[in-house]
Amino acid sequence: MQVRSPLLKVEHIEITYKHRQQKKVIIQDVSFTLYQGEMVALTGKSGAGKSIVSHALVGLLDKGLSVTKGQILFEGQNILQFNEKQLEKLRRDHITLMIQHSLNGLDPIRLVKKQMLETIRHRSLGSKKNREQFLHYWLAEVGFHEPDEILHSYPFELSGGMRQRVLLAMILSLQPKILIADEPTTALDAVNRERVLRLLKHLQRNLGLTVLLISHDDHSVKKYADRVVQMNEGGLLL
Ligand SMILES: Nc1ncnc2c1ncn2[C@@H]1O[C@H](COP(=O)(O)OP(=O)(O)OP(=O)(O)O)[C@@H](O)[C@H]1O
Ligand SMILES: [Mg+2]
């Protein structure tokens, strides 16, 4: 049997909200593991704490929230001990979070090309031509047959499903090890929902991307995920 080493290990985390004298435990004893190249779904009712857990995985908890117990190990290192610079590197090079409602994250009136080039500004990819070709590659990877046309569009000219794929291409251009997609399909109609899920599956299989797919729609994710972790009002349902 092949022994796989975990890429991300979440161990017994507790997340607490603190405001002045007030203190409330929001997440209790959540543990799960992601292995290289698999797709795991994190499901559970609205308010169970899925988004908060995903924010914790990349060190982006809102003010007042903090991890008060447990550890989050990325390739064996506890990210809870990372400083801001290390967390920035983690988010840039290793774990990308596609936040819930991230379709709003694309500026509707700035050219797709400008926004995509901005995303890869830290990478040493050579000439302007090389950079554009790199973007073409990722746009083609998410299913666009005319990548150049997409690069020269404004997001407001694209449909919701197309914008979601542009966002995915943008994220993939960072070549992360882990993609966390928080409700990537809720803003989409049924046809585009299936399309985006199929695309994520394709990327996982073909690029070896590790995907944490967050959704409260456990029916559709069960079809695509290799494993399902179910959260239940602040904890895990076992
Ligand atoms: N910034 C915050 N400060 C304090 N509490 C918060 C904050 N954000 C969310 N919460 C609380 O934490 C709990 C979990 O919220 P979270 O957004 O993670 O749920 P979710 O499982 O992602 O739900 P949904 O399926 O609707 O996206 C909720 O009870 C919510 O009220
Ligand atoms: Mg959420």
Side-chain angles (χ1 to χ4, degrees):
M1 198 178 84
Q2 196 188 359
V3 182
R4 295 182 301 170
S5 58
L7 196 52
L8 187 79
K9 217 165 179 279
V10 176
E11 292 187 323
H12 307 290
I13 58 166
E14 175 186 273
I15 298 176
T16 307
Y17 175 69
K18 250 190 244 166
H19 180 68
R20 297 199 180 124
Q21 305 304 333
Q22 244 188 320
K23 210 169 146 183
K24 189 180 168 213
V25 173
I26 292 185
I27 307 288
Q28 236 171 356
D29 201 17
V30 168
S31 304
F32 60 90
T33 303
L34 293 184
Y35 291 94
Q36 158 69 37
E38 67 174 352
M39 182 187 280
V40 174
L42 184 62
T43 67
K45 281 196 204 128
S46 181
K50 304 179 297 295
S51 292
I52 289 197
V53 166
S54 73
H55 297 169
L57 299 182
V58 291
L60 275 182
L61 283 174
D62 284 344
K63 206 165 165 264
L65 292 169
S66 58
V67 179
T68 36
K69 275 187 195 164
Q71 49 182 5
I72 299 171
L73 302 167
F74 172 71
E75 292 183 331
Q77 285 184 295
N78 188 3
I79 70 143
L80 298 177
Q81 284 159 3
F82 279 13
N83 60 30
E84 199 41 50
K85 211 168 163 196
Q86 289 171 302
L87 286 172
E88 266 172 32
K89 188 172 160 48
L90 179 82
R91 290 192 288 264
R92 197 176 59 226
D93 298 343
H94 302 303
I95 309 181
T96 309
L97 172 64
M98 198 165 161
I99 57 167
Q100 196 164 3
H101 313 299
S102 52
L103 278 185
N104 307 334
L106 279 179
D107 184 340
I109 54 164
R110 274 182 78 216
L111 271 186
V112 168
K113 182 168 140 182
K114 275 211 161 146
Q115 300 187 58
M116 289 192 82
L117 283 172
E118 171 83 355
T119 309
I120 54 166
R121 71 189 182 282
H122 293 293
R123 310 203 51 188
S124 33
L125 293 161
S127 68
K128 192 165 166 273
K129 193 160 167 254
N130 284 354
R131 287 177 174 266
E132 279 186 31
Q133 266 170 359
F134 185 74
L135 296 180
H136 280 186
Y137 173 82
W138 290 110
L139 285 166
E141 196 62 46
V142 298
F144 288 116
H145 299 301
E146 303 283 354
D148 207 48
E149 228 169 75
I150 299 296
L151 276 186
H152 291 93
S153 330
Y154 292 94
F156 76 83
E157 298 173 314
L158 307 172
S159 71
M162 288 164 99
R163 289 205 304 273
Q164 191 64 296
R165 286 190 287 137
V166 167
L167 262 178
L168 263 177
M170 226 166 180
I171 285 171
L172 292 170
S173 71
L174 290 167
Q175 295 176 288
K177 289 184 180 156
I178 301 177
L179 167 66
I180 304 172
D182 191 358
E183 305 282 359
T185 59
T186 34
L188 306 177
D189 63 20
V191 173
N192 277 304
R193 211 174 294 157
E194 278 293 308
R195 182 158 193 198
V196 166
L197 289 173
R198 272 206 310 274
L199 175 60
L200 284 174
K201 194 71 198 166
H202 163 85
L203 297 169
Q204 176 223 344
R205 286 218 175 109
N206 291 29
L207 306 177
L209 189 66
T210 306
V211 182
L212 182 65
L213 176 62
I214 300 179
S215 176
H216 58 257
D217 173 13
D218 43 344
H219 281 298
S220 65
V221 297
K222 269 180 188 147
K223 212 162 104 189
Y224 295 96
D226 302 310
R227 278 187 303 122
V228 177
V229 175
Q230 182 144 22
M231 283 191 60
N232 186 33
E233 285 164 29
L236 285 192
L237 191 68
L238 296 170

